[in-house]
């Protein structure tokens, strides 16, 4: 079935590879009455320091790609101090395998551990068996460290298609894109990285940064501080989707 995109709620979109009724970021295609089981499920979605209902709160998700790296432990110190949970899309080759203690710490401190492929190859340029290997090897490497396989993945450069979607579905992976990026691969200027993110920040947004570039981690405290002052609550990507669960094979596009 060809992919199609639907707008849901507050400007978010979800690309469906199957005919499903979905709820994303607390905004449903169906009407939910206060006090219903679905509403109660949203209220029970736990943030790092209490319940979060992103239908009511001004939520935003902080995500980091292509680690873990040398600066990731410092980033984790920052997030712990700021009482913020994030989502980490990890690379398998030379990252997960090189930094197992950091992967273990990401999981232990309540962040969402996700898949960013094995070697950052563009999946849409690959044959199906190669796509599967890129995702499955990272699934297995993370599971060997944390005891469980990720439920989210981010395709390199955000490039996906029906083949990637079907393989992701088979591996139990939802595809997560983003709404704000600093293009931090192009600059080490932390002030510029902060400005680019703040200029693009929006309710129910997903911020893309990398913990492998020198300017990115130093920009994080300022980004968190500024967005908190604007009333944002930081959540993981699954918390942003609550009360729905991430659907394997689906492309979530803020």
């Amino acid at each position: 079935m060809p992919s199609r995109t639907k707008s849901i709620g507050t400007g978010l979109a979800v690309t469906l590879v199957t005919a499903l009724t979905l709820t994303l970021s607390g905004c449903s295609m169906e009407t939910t009455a206060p006090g219903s089981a679905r509403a109660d499920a949203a209220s029970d979605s736990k943030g790092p320091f209490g319940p979060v209902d992103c239908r009511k709160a001004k939520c935003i998700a902080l995500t980091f790609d292509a680690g873990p790296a040398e600066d990731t432990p410092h980033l984790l110190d920052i997030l712990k101090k700021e009482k913020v949970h994030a989502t980490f899309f990890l690379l398998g080759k030379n990252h997960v395998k090189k930094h197992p203690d950091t992967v273990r710490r990401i999981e232990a401190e309540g962040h969402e551990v996700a898949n960013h492929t094995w070697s950052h190859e563009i999946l849409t340029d690959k044959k199906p068996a190669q796509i599967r290997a890129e995702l499955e090897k990272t699934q297995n490497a993370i599971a060997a460290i944390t005891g469980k396989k990720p439920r989210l993945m981010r395709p390199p450069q955000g490039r996906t298609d029906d083949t990637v979607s079907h393989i992701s579905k088979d591996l139990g992976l939802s595809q997560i894109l983003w709404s704000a990026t600093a293009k931090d691969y192009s600059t080490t200027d932390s002030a510029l990285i902060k400005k680019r993110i703040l200029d693009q920040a929006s309710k129910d947004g997903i911020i893309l940064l990398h913990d492998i570039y020198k300017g990115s981690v130093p920009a994080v405290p300022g980004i968190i501080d500024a967005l908190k002052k604007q009333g944002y609550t930081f959540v993981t990507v699954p918390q942003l989707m609550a009360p729905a669960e991430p659907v394997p094979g689906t492309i979530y596009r803020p």
Side-chain angles (χ1 to χ4, degrees):
M1 180 177 181
S3 297
R4 57 195 178 92
T5 301
K6 287 186 177 181
S7 294
I8 298 179
T10 55
L12 291 136
V14 56
T15 301
L16 305 180
V17 295
T18 55
L20 295 170
T21 299
L22 299 175
T23 305
L24 181 58
S25 300
C27 299
S28 178
M29 296 174 66
E30 304 170 337
T31 301
T32 302
S36 68
R38 186 172 297 227
D40 290 343
S43 298
D44 289 340
S45 177
K46 295 294 184 182
F49 299 94
V52 178
D53 184 346
C54 289
R55 296 170 305 177
K56 300 175 181 178
K58 187 179 178 182
C59 290
I60 197 163
L62 192 57
T63 72
F64 297 93
D65 282 13
E70 298 298 332
D71 286 344
T72 307
H74 178 48
L75 171 60
L76 291 170
D77 291 341
I78 293 168
L79 296 176
K80 187 174 183 179
K81 178 182 177 182
E82 297 291 342
K83 299 183 179 180
V84 165
H85 279 175
T87 302
F88 287 81
F89 291 91
L90 305 182
L91 271 181
K93 184 179 180 181
N94 298 327
H95 291 266
V96 168
K97 290 181 71 68
K98 187 177 179 180
H99 302 282
D101 289 342
T102 303
V103 176
R104 207 170 283 115
R105 181 181 169 189
I106 292 170
E107 167 73 17
E109 295 187 0
H111 305 287
E112 185 75 18
V113 180
N115 187 328
H116 195 42
T117 75
W118 184 254
S119 56
H120 208 267
E121 298 288 338
I122 303 303
L123 297 180
T124 52
D125 293 341
K126 298 296 179 183
K127 295 179 180 179
Q130 295 172 313
I131 296 169
R132 182 177 294 273
E134 280 286 316
L135 294 171
E136 196 165 37
K137 286 171 70 175
T138 304
Q139 290 288 89
N140 292 339
I142 290 172
I145 296 168
T146 67
K148 60 184 181 181
K149 293 181 179 180
R151 51 183 169 166
L152 309 178
M153 80 87 153
R154 176 169 284 158
Q157 296 185 11
R159 291 171 61 181
T160 186
D161 58 19
D162 285 345
T163 301
V164 175
S165 295
H166 288 305
I167 292 170
S168 297
K169 180 181 179 181
D170 191 47
L171 294 175
L173 290 164
S174 303
Q175 302 176 77
I176 309 299
L177 303 185
W178 58 89
S179 59
T181 176
K183 297 184 178 180
D184 49 357
Y185 52 81
S186 65
T187 180
T188 58
D189 186 338
S190 298
L192 178 59
I193 290 169
K194 173 185 170 182
K195 181 181 185 303
R196 286 174 174 174
I197 293 300
L198 296 183
D199 286 347
Q200 298 171 62
S202 59
K203 185 182 185 301
D204 300 323
I206 298 177
I207 295 169
L208 166 60
L209 289 169
H210 297 80
D211 44 337
I212 59 172
Y213 299 127
K214 293 301 180 184
S216 302
V217 172
V220 170
I223 291 169
I224 292 173
D225 183 61
L227 291 178
K228 281 183 175 179
K229 287 178 179 176
Q230 293 177 28
Y232 283 96
T233 297
F234 287 90
V235 294
T236 64
V237 169
Q239 289 169 337
L240 193 66
M241 295 179 181
E245 290 292 325
V247 177
T250 303
I251 305 164
Y252 292 93
R253 187 192 312 270

